[in-house]
């Protein structure tokens, strides 16, 4: 998701609708799927994990949100809207709160803002669709490989050894991105380490051969703004 500094100027006007600020503590939920939705948020600090509980009880992580990201997992212009996904706090921080009814009023009165908002929502939809495509077409291995590529685009830093992923993730958190079990991710990561594609030091992953990962999933080289987890 774009940071506010990178947003088109009209969409950055969402700051004009901020009602108040809210602290969020690690391990808690900012909101949960199915609860009444009357607020949307702009992340000021900290990290949120946006996810959905799938029918068999597993958690599927769709994206991570950090400073500047707009979070609004609900249907606008609906009289009894409920949150479609859950937002778990991964790193404590603060969000700016926008009331749903205030945003709806502003969108109905400001055509440029409405246009930019629709473009933003369309991009989020494309990101979600490509995630599901990878999960369906390439199986568990492809899901992990594509997740590593997306995380590297969002949180990767190029070093002389490869791409260092600066977001520490547990194997369970990686499994949530892939919609699979921690045991499966453990085995797949071990296989990648054995052939030198990645290395792991104190929970931090370095990708040494990202070309291998892309080749294995027939990567379509989507634009970076689509192939991300934020």
């Amino acid at each position: 998701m774009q940071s506010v500094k990178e947003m088109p100027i009209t969409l950055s006007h969402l700051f004009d609708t901020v009602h108040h600020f809210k602290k969020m503590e690690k391990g808690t939920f900012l909101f949960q799927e199915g609860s009444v939705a009357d607020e949307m948020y702009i992340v000021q600090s900290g990290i949120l994990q946006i996810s959905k509980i799938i029918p068999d009880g597993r958690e599927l992580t769709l994206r991570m949100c950090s400073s500047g990201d707009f979070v609004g997992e609900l249907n606008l212009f609906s009289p009894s809207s409920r949150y479609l996904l859950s937002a778990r706090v991964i790193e404590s921080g603060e969000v700016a709160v926008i009331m749903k009814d205030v945003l709806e009023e502003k969108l109905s009165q400001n055509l440029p803002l409405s246009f930019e908002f629709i473009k933003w929502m369309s991009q989020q939809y494309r990101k979600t669709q490509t995630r599901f495509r990878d999960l369906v077409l390439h199986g568990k291995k492809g899901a992990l490989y594509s997740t590593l590529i997306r995380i590297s685009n969002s949180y990767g830093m190029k070093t002389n050894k490869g791409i260092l992923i600066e977001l520490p993730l547990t194997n369970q958190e990686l499994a949530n991105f892939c919609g699979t079990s921690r045991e499966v991710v453990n085995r797949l990561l071990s296989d990648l380490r054995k052939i030198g594609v990645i290395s792991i030091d104190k929970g931090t992953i370095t990708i040494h051969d990202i070309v291998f990962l892309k080749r294995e999933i027939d990567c379509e080289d989507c634009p970076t703004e689509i192939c991300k987890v934020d």
Side-chain angles (χ1 to χ4, degrees):
M1 197 181 297
Q2 290 179 302
S3 70
V4 171
K5 292 181 180 179
E6 296 171 335
M7 283 182 176
I9 186 64
T10 49
L11 195 52
S12 69
H13 287 174
L14 289 176
F15 271 118
D16 298 340
T17 63
V18 170
H19 184 267
H20 64 279
F21 293 85
K22 179 187 292 187
K23 297 288 186 183
M24 52 183 191
E25 299 296 327
K26 181 178 179 179
T28 64
F29 284 91
L30 182 62
F31 55 82
Q32 289 185 274
E33 182 179 353
S35 59
V36 175
D38 54 12
E39 296 178 347
M40 304 179 83
Y41 310 92
I42 300 174
V43 181
Q44 303 299 290
S45 60
I47 298 176
L48 286 170
Q49 174 183 290
I50 308 300
S51 60
K52 183 174 183 63
I53 303 299
I54 51 183
D56 64 4
R58 286 176 295 158
E59 185 176 12
L60 176 60
T61 300
L62 296 176
R63 69 180 189 275
M64 307 289 282
C65 298
S66 54
S67 179
D69 288 342
F70 182 67
V71 183
E73 317 306 317
L74 53 82
N75 291 318
L76 290 173
F77 301 100
S78 173
S80 56
S81 184
R82 295 186 179 273
Y83 288 112
L84 306 174
L85 302 169
S86 297
R88 186 196 304 272
V89 182
I90 301 302
E91 182 180 292
S92 297
E94 185 178 60
V95 293
V97 180
I98 298 172
M99 304 309 294
K100 173 177 173 285
D101 56 349
V102 174
L103 177 60
E104 289 173 340
E105 182 180 0
K106 193 171 185 68
L107 289 173
S108 66
Q109 296 174 352
N110 187 325
L111 184 59
L113 176 62
S114 297
F115 179 67
E116 293 297 344
F117 193 80
I118 290 170
K119 285 170 56 179
W120 173 81
M121 291 187 68
S122 177
Q123 186 179 71
Q124 304 316 306
Y125 177 76
R126 285 186 63 194
K127 288 181 181 180
T128 301
Q129 288 298 101
T130 56
R131 285 286 316 283
F132 284 132
R133 177 200 64 199
D134 292 339
L135 289 172
V136 171
L137 295 182
H138 301 294
K140 296 173 183 178
K141 183 173 73 172
L144 175 62
Y145 290 7
S146 66
T147 294
L148 290 174
I149 294 169
R150 292 172 192 277
I151 292 175
S152 73
N153 286 336
S154 294
Y155 298 98
M157 180 181 70
K158 290 185 177 180
T159 70
N160 57 2
K161 295 182 179 180
I163 302 173
L164 173 66
I165 296 177
E166 298 186 295
L167 177 69
L169 291 171
T170 66
N171 287 4
Q172 182 59 61
E173 288 168 336
L174 275 175
N176 291 345
F177 271 108
C178 303
T180 188
S181 68
R182 179 171 56 84
E183 290 74 20
V184 169
V185 167
N186 289 346
R187 176 174 54 80
L188 292 173
L189 289 175
S190 178
D191 291 343
L192 289 175
R193 293 176 71 176
K194 288 177 182 177
I195 59 177
V197 174
I198 67 168
S199 60
I200 303 175
D201 181 26
K202 298 178 181 178
T204 301
I205 297 174
T206 297
I207 301 175
H208 304 293
D209 191 354
I210 198 164
V211 173
F212 172 88
L213 299 178
K214 291 183 176 183
R215 185 174 63 246
E216 288 293 299
I217 62 169
D218 300 318
C219 179
E220 298 178 1
D221 286 322
C222 297
T224 302
E225 61 267 22
I226 299 298
C227 187
K228 301 177 74 175
V229 296
D230 57 356

